[in-house]
Amino acid sequence: MNRSMEGHYQLKKHGYNIQSFGTGSAVRLPGPSASQPNIYEFGTPYTKIYADLVSQNKALYAKIGLLEMLERNQKVKLAPQRFHDEYNDFDVIFTCEERVFDAVCEELLNRTGMKSKPVHVVNVEIEDNHKEALVGGKTILELARLIAESKNLEQDMDGIIEDEFIKMRAATASELGYLRRASALLELPTATWATGTVLFHRYCAYLTTNKYKADPMSPQISMMVCLYLATKVTEEPRKQRDMINVGYKLAHPESAFLPITSTTLAALRTTMTQGELAMMRILGFEFNVELPHIWIASILYGMAWWERNGEPPEDTELVDVRIKNVAQCAWAVANCSVERGLVDQAPARILGAACIAISMRLCNEELPASDYEEWADIWAKTSGKKLRAVQETVENSVDVIEAVNGCCMK
């Protein structure tokens, strides 16, 4: 209902002949508590499910994203369908969870080759949340493109799957959440958290480029090492013992912090030191990270000065309080851009300007220029075409509405 429908939405938008199904006995959605799910029969129209949830508790189901998901689903098809009740021919079947993959394979085997036609079943493991569904949907779209371009699918399929899944090594939502929680416990400023997150994205990119089948160090160690390096790069030093204890606490929430005499702490010190040396080599000793946040502050102050005096100032290092809401929204979009791995994909000034342009639109503010091209030239020092391309990349990768709503709730 979430992951499969996001895949359906992405593929349908790009012109593929696509259907989507569930494999359970009924459609189950979150309810007011874990023991009270909302259960609907397959075939129940999405409009009816939507209306039922609104009548129960509109605020609750809007907050957890169910209403937004159902609005998307209504644009795709009438109602959820059950795979076991359909007997259409498929060339490829994508599943989004190992359990569903097993159920599909079992059902196909039970059909005992009714049409004697082979079908490829591919599992793309996707966490069941909105952000990962969006990323997973794009992965399925890319796989579909490669499959459609193949002139001999039987021969090419294994290579397509292997290449795409090696390419997929990227920071997951749970890993990004881990970095946020660790940074909060360590009381790290935004610049340090963002730098550590960018370094972790670079580490994932290294694994992709070098086609690692498995991470050379555990995800927890690699993430804490990236944050540890970031504390040094941004001159926000933290003791190695504190870094280890935070990582240990996140992995073992019920446990106390490790005492200084602990043999476990000593062992983790060695692991952390070895991991730090390995990470420095993996990253090629390149730790410089230019973030878009400083440019957001600079550009917004300059824009405010321009509006008052008709010309840009020479010094644009401070944020004018007049446009605080736009600044907060742009900052939130920039944070999401960091998490989506966009910092190394565009110059920081252009990325910062793109975050501002998005936030100005969301805040119903007009850009202080005759047109977009002029604004891009003055504030991003680039062409309108290039800035718009970066802006579109951000909007396609980041849930800007969620980012801004999260910003406004704080």
Side-chain angles (χ1 to χ4, degrees), residues 55-268:
S55 68
Q56 289 183 38
N57 190 332
K58 183 177 181 179
L60 170 64
Y61 295 120
K63 182 178 180 181
I64 64 177
L66 274 186
L67 298 186
E68 182 183 358
M69 180 189 76
L70 289 166
E71 288 169 0
R72 177 204 62 193
N73 292 0
Q74 291 175 55
K75 298 174 184 177
V76 175
K77 64 179 187 179
L78 176 65
Q81 299 163 272
R82 187 170 183 264
F83 180 71
H84 299 67
D85 300 330
E86 302 288 336
Y87 289 87
N88 296 331
D89 290 341
F90 297 102
D91 297 313
V92 180
I93 297 174
F94 293 107
T95 62
C96 304
E97 185 179 341
E98 187 175 358
R99 173 185 59 81
V100 178
F101 175 84
D102 292 340
V104 168
C105 290
E106 181 180 5
E107 172 62 18
L108 291 174
L109 290 171
N110 288 338
R111 295 180 184 182
T112 61
M114 295 168 59
K115 297 185 179 180
S116 299
K117 179 185 175 183
V119 59
H120 296 277
V121 185
V122 181
N123 185 54
V124 181
E125 195 72 21
I126 303 172
E127 291 185 46
D128 195 5
N129 61 63
H130 178 71
K131 288 184 178 180
E132 289 303 310
L134 183 63
V135 174
K138 292 179 179 179
T139 298
I140 291 174
L141 176 62
E142 176 64 11
L143 280 168
R145 182 187 68 79
L146 294 171
I147 289 169
E149 290 176 353
S150 172
K151 298 202 175 2
N152 188 336
L153 188 56
E154 299 301 318
Q155 179 178 317
D156 297 342
M157 193 63 166
D158 287 346
I160 290 172
I161 298 301
E162 182 177 351
D163 289 347
E164 182 62 21
F165 279 90
I166 287 174
K167 187 173 76 175
M168 270 181 63
R169 178 50 175 119
T172 65
S174 59
E175 288 171 333
L176 295 170
Y178 184 99
L179 288 165
R180 285 195 302 271
R181 292 193 299 275
S183 297
L185 288 171
L186 289 161
E187 298 182 350
L188 299 179
T190 297
T192 306
W193 157 79
T195 298
T197 301
V198 172
L199 294 180
F200 185 66
H201 278 299
R202 290 178 183 175
Y203 168 69
C204 293
Y206 173 86
L207 300 185
T208 295
T209 303
N210 292 273
K211 298 188 176 182
Y212 272 84
K213 301 292 184 181
D215 293 7
M217 63 184 88
S218 75
Q220 289 79 13
I221 292 297
S222 61
M223 286 185 286
M224 293 308 296
V225 165
C226 286
L227 281 181
Y228 192 36
L229 288 171
T231 65
K232 298 179 179 182
V233 172
T234 59
E235 299 183 356
E236 288 285 341
R238 297 294 186 274
K239 294 179 181 178
Q240 187 189 59
R241 182 178 75 243
D242 294 336
M243 302 293 300
I244 291 170
N245 262 316
V246 164
Y248 187 82
K249 188 68 175 176
L250 288 174
H252 307 88
E254 304 303 320
S255 301
F257 286 120
L258 297 169
I260 196 167
T261 56
S262 167
T263 55
T264 301
L265 177 62
L268 287 173

Side-chain angles (χ1 to χ4, degrees), residues 342 358 361 390-400:
L342 302 181
I358 292 169
R361 174 173 57 80
V390 174
Q391 182 177 336
E392 288 177 356
T393 297
V394 174
E395 290 177 322
N396 289 334
S397 303
V398 171
D399 188 334
V400 293

